[in-house]
Amino acid sequence: MKNNQKVCIIGLGYVGFPLAVLCSTKGYEVFGFDKDEEKLRRIEKRENIVEEKYLEEMIPKAKINVIRDESKMNDCDIFIIAVPTPVDEKYYPDLSFVVSASETVAKNMKPGALVIVESTINPGVCDEIVKPVFEKAGFTVGKDVFIAHCPERINPGDPKWNVTNIPRVVGSFDEKGLARALEFYKSIISAEIMPMKSIFEAEATKIMENSFRDINIAFVNELAKSFDLMGINVVNVIRGAVTKPFAFMPHWPSCGVGGHCIPVDPYYLIEKAKELDFDHKFLRVAREINNGMPLYTVELLQDALNKVERSFKGTNIGILGVSYKANVGDLRESPALKIIELLEQREAVLHVFDPHVSEKSTAASSDEVLEKSEAIIVATNHKEFIEIPAEKFRDKGIKVIIDGMNCLDKERIQKLGIVYKGIGR
Ligand code: SAJ
């Protein structure tokens, strides 16, 4: 085993599970702790619970000792906290999972252990929330417990970048904690591991990365709305801007911003700054713009239905896609859920299908949706939907298509006499 070190990962989701597999294949004795018994059972059966292709050949070589009795983690040398950091319905940060995980570790760890938080948190959480938990348990940070932060950078479904090769940043309260965390990540990841000058900088790095993405998406979403009024195709304009070989990074308009990261992380920074009487106006406005895209999409459908002399009430409307992202089955903060809610309020008759999310599908296939609907919204750019031939929409009698992900062939569909509207095109 790697210098005989034992690693315990708290939280075996899309971050913790790949990390556990990686640590095991790199020679660590790995223990996994999660409150979800179903997850533990599936891990014991060596299932690829996050459905990531790159893990297929790693899982058979990995051994994850799942822990049901938390006292069994007491001999571990390194603890990694990879639990959710969501927001509540008022978009207020929810750190309860981080607190609970920290308390579990503090209660069961032996002196001298290294505790690394990978969950995405705002600057100050390690100092104000995590550190006091260990001090309350009688430990002295930097002496008999070492705390570091290495923000996760998992991109679900990414065919190229994954836990084995994504560069990371690491920060700690003290030199020893930093050195141990750097040594650990360098032993499992073949990419740059950058030491930050403080744990606050490490916390700020991830939040900034994802806020950067959110404001840039909001920028093109706002352009999509104004260019719609000007009759300009914003997607073509962005493609034009991409020809500039420097100082431009494309983002794309859509029916909304979902997932566990982008629409959530900025709120952690907004709320932290608010404590210090600073108003992150720009981040707030970007969140408002992106949160408004599902309604904008429904309004586009309303205009298109008017063109074919239909209204919402009683009209059969198909929703293709519920997941927040192409080719994965993840519903977190998915704009499609908001679109469905808005259409139900308008008494439309909905037919929903997502090949990756059966629990939200009311139809058994995209064919069934097309057969039962007069109008459809494409809310997720799953490969299966992009491959539907334009003629099939016509043959099934579809009169209106709102392409929430700008992923269909607009010109071909329009040539077939179907009313097509994308987001900004
Ligand atoms: N989206 C847009 N326009 C864009 C890009 C995304 O509307 O130009 C929407 C997507 O449809 C989706 C949401 O934003 O609903 C989030 O998409 P995402 O591609 O950012 O996917 P995520 O949520 O899986 O984000 C992860 C993040 N990774 C981490 O936080 C570690 C993010 O930092 C990555 O930039 C992102 O993957 C990625 O690059 O794909």
Side-chain angles (χ1 to χ4, degrees), residues 120 152-156 158 206 209-210 213 217 220-221 250-263 265 324-325 335 381 405:
T120 305
E152 61 91 358
R153 280 184 171 163
I154 296 294
N155 176 23
D158 192 313
K206 171 67 181 292
E209 287 164 13
N210 284 357
R213 192 162 173 81
I217 296 168
V220 292
N221 279 336
H251 289 75
W252 307 96
S254 76
C255 59
V257 174
H260 44 277
C261 302
I262 309 307
D265 296 351
Y324 85 87
K325 191 174 187 180
N381 49 334
M405 295 306 293

Side-chain angles (χ1 to χ4, degrees), residues 84-267:
T85 48
V87 288
D88 63 20
E89 63 290 341
K90 292 195 180 63
Y91 301 117
Y92 199 76
D94 173 3
L95 287 161
S96 61
F97 300 101
V98 170
V99 171
S100 163
S102 303
E103 287 168 346
T104 300
V105 173
K107 201 165 87 184
N108 295 288
M109 64 171 259
K110 66 188 178 188
L114 169 66
V115 179
I116 302 170
V117 178
E118 283 216 359
S119 303
T120 305
I121 50 182
N122 57 264
V125 167
C126 285
D127 187 44
E128 298 158 22
I129 307 271
V130 177
K131 188 175 174 182
V133 166
F134 289 89
E135 289 171 335
K136 198 167 148 215
F139 293 102
T140 304
V141 174
K143 187 165 162 290
D144 52 10
V145 65
F146 299 90
I147 297 175
H149 179 56
C150 179
E152 61 91 358
R153 280 184 171 163
I154 296 294
N155 176 23
D158 192 313
K160 180 173 181 238
W161 297 105
N162 58 62
V163 68
T164 67
N165 61 8
I166 295 172
R168 308 290 290 270
V169 299
V170 183
S172 180
F173 288 111
D174 47 79
E175 285 307 312
K176 192 161 179 204
L178 181 63
R180 286 181 63 180
L182 281 174
E183 183 195 6
F184 168 67
Y185 282 102
K186 285 177 179 171
S187 74
I188 61 169
I189 294 171
S190 55
E192 182 189 3
I193 309 295
M194 181 178 173
M196 304 304 282
K197 294 289 182 260
S198 75
I199 203 161
F200 298 88
E201 287 183 0
E203 293 166 323
T205 302
K206 171 67 181 292
I207 292 285
M208 188 205 76
E209 287 164 13
N210 284 357
S211 299
F212 168 85
R213 192 162 173 81
D214 195 48
I215 58 180
N216 277 281
I217 296 168
F219 170 51
V220 292
N221 279 336
E222 184 173 79
L223 280 182
K225 291 180 172 180
S226 71
F227 283 19
D228 265 348
L229 297 174
M230 299 178 206
I232 295 172
N233 181 324
V234 75
V235 172
N236 288 344
V237 171
I238 295 167
R239 287 192 185 125
V242 165
T243 60
K244 180 180 176 186
F246 49 83
F248 180 75
M249 182 190 238
H251 289 75
W252 307 96
S254 76
C255 59
V257 174
H260 44 277
C261 302
I262 309 307
V264 170
D265 296 351
Y267 289 116

Side-chain angles (χ1 to χ4, degrees), residues 264-279:
V264 170
D265 296 351
Y267 289 116
Y268 274 73
L269 191 50
I270 291 167
E271 289 307 319
K272 177 62 192 173
K274 220 186 266 178
E275 288 171 17
L276 307 167
D277 292 332
F278 181 82
D279 175 18

